[in-house]
Amino acid sequence: MRILLVEDDHMLANTMLAMLREDQHTVDWLDDGQQALNALMDEHFDLAILDLTLPRLDGLDVLARSRSAGVLTPVIILTARSDLDEKLQGLDAGADDYLTKPFAMAELKARIRAVTRRGSASPSVGMTVGTLHLNPDSGQLTFGDQVITLPRSELQILHYLMRHPDQVATRRRLEEQLYGWDQGVESNALEVHIHHLRRRLGKSVIRTIRGVGYLLDSQEAQSCGTAPCP
């Protein structure tokens, strides 16, 4: 997943960044409320972890304004505020969960899994398009009688494409899933990962939309595994 972490305690943020990246997530970090609101309005994230006490704009305002603008990104509020009324304000403003500091990293991981399961189109573990079944937690891809474990980059690309079948994913969107806002991405890195996925699935499953990006063809995915994919 691509996660937005908004936390102004730099020591805690660095600990969380290391933990989340160990779980193969792409994480972008901000320590400013106004920047967080701008990011939520302009970028795509699978999840946001949002502190409440932030410079320039309070976390509750970030949440309320983003929800008013139609942003549906799942949000876990993370704060030292333990007052019940403030928890209720956060949930009423549109938060999906609320975790009070101090907390165990294992609990945060469990809450991330719970929130993303609730937001998934499928209540079962993993996701399915045609004969393709992907378990994002394990990285295992099943199609036909084949079971393979995908490398991290291929997993993140396929995970995004399977969440948006038959929709064009731009190069920029896919690169953000892989690298967040990091600079220095090799110009052909995305093409290399797409090439490797096509070798596994067949060239027709992931289509190139010239000048725009890539698309996972659900009709082609339906036949993959039942017959050789072209």
Side-chain angles (χ1 to χ4, degrees):
M1 292 191 300
R2 187 185 182 201
I3 297 175
L4 176 64
L5 172 62
V6 189
E7 171 60 64
D8 66 342
D9 181 331
H10 288 206
M11 184 176 295
L12 175 59
N14 283 323
T15 300
M16 295 174 66
L17 283 168
M19 179 271 295
L20 293 169
R21 287 168 177 166
E22 281 180 1
D23 283 355
Q24 307 302 307
H25 299 302
T26 299
V27 189
D28 292 311
W29 170 37
L30 294 172
D31 60 2
D32 176 280
Q34 185 60 56
Q35 291 178 352
L37 178 60
N38 294 343
L40 286 168
M41 299 282 280
D42 297 338
E43 304 275 353
H44 170 83
F45 298 95
D46 299 296
L47 175 73
I49 301 173
L50 179 64
D51 189 21
L52 290 189
T53 305
L54 295 167
R56 292 211 290 170
L57 194 62
D58 187 81
L60 283 177
D61 289 329
V62 173
L63 179 59
R65 293 187 194 185
S66 62
R67 290 293 189 245
S68 294
V71 176
L72 301 178
T73 303
V75 173
I76 297 176
I77 285 179
L78 190 66
T79 182
R81 304 176 190 177
S82 58
D83 184 77
L84 177 59
D85 287 340
E86 290 187 328
K87 289 184 179 181
L88 294 176
Q89 286 178 36
L91 294 171
D92 288 342
D96 296 87
D97 204 348
Y98 200 114
L99 188 58
T100 303
K101 301 174 184 177
F103 60 91
M105 291 296 176
E107 182 179 4
L108 176 59
K109 289 184 179 184
R111 288 175 184 258
I112 289 172
R113 291 193 296 270
V115 166
T116 52
R117 276 199 303 269
R118 290 200 297 269
S120 173
S122 171
S124 60
V125 174
M127 56 184 59
T128 300
V129 177
T131 65
L132 305 177
H133 180 79
L134 180 66
N135 184 326
D137 291 334
S138 66
Q140 282 197 334
L141 173 66
T142 304
F143 57 104
D145 58 356
Q146 301 186 60
V147 180
I148 58 176
T149 300
L150 293 175
R152 175 180 179 272
S153 296
E154 293 177 38
L155 168 64
Q156 288 181 296
I157 292 170
L158 188 60
H159 185 202
Y160 185 85
L161 292 173
M162 288 181 68
R163 290 182 59 202
H164 306 87
D166 302 313
Q167 299 178 35
V168 179
T170 64
R171 284 182 52 88
R172 178 171 177 267
R173 182 58 53 84
L174 290 175
E175 286 175 346
E176 287 172 350
Q177 298 302 305
L178 289 173
Y179 309 109
W181 296 321
D182 289 348
Q183 299 298 312
V185 178
E186 293 183 16
S187 60
N188 68 337
L190 179 60
E191 284 83 356
V192 171
H193 298 314
I194 293 289
H195 172 72
H196 290 162
L197 281 170
R198 284 173 167 159
R199 288 181 61 185
R200 301 179 192 279
L201 305 176
K203 295 180 180 179
S204 60
V205 176
I206 299 176
R207 292 168 46 199
T208 299
I209 309 301
R210 292 196 178 277
V212 184
Y214 300 93
L215 176 150
L216 180 73
D217 190 318
S218 62
Q219 292 297 318
E220 294 293 338
Q222 184 65 46
S223 60
C224 190
T226 59
C229 295

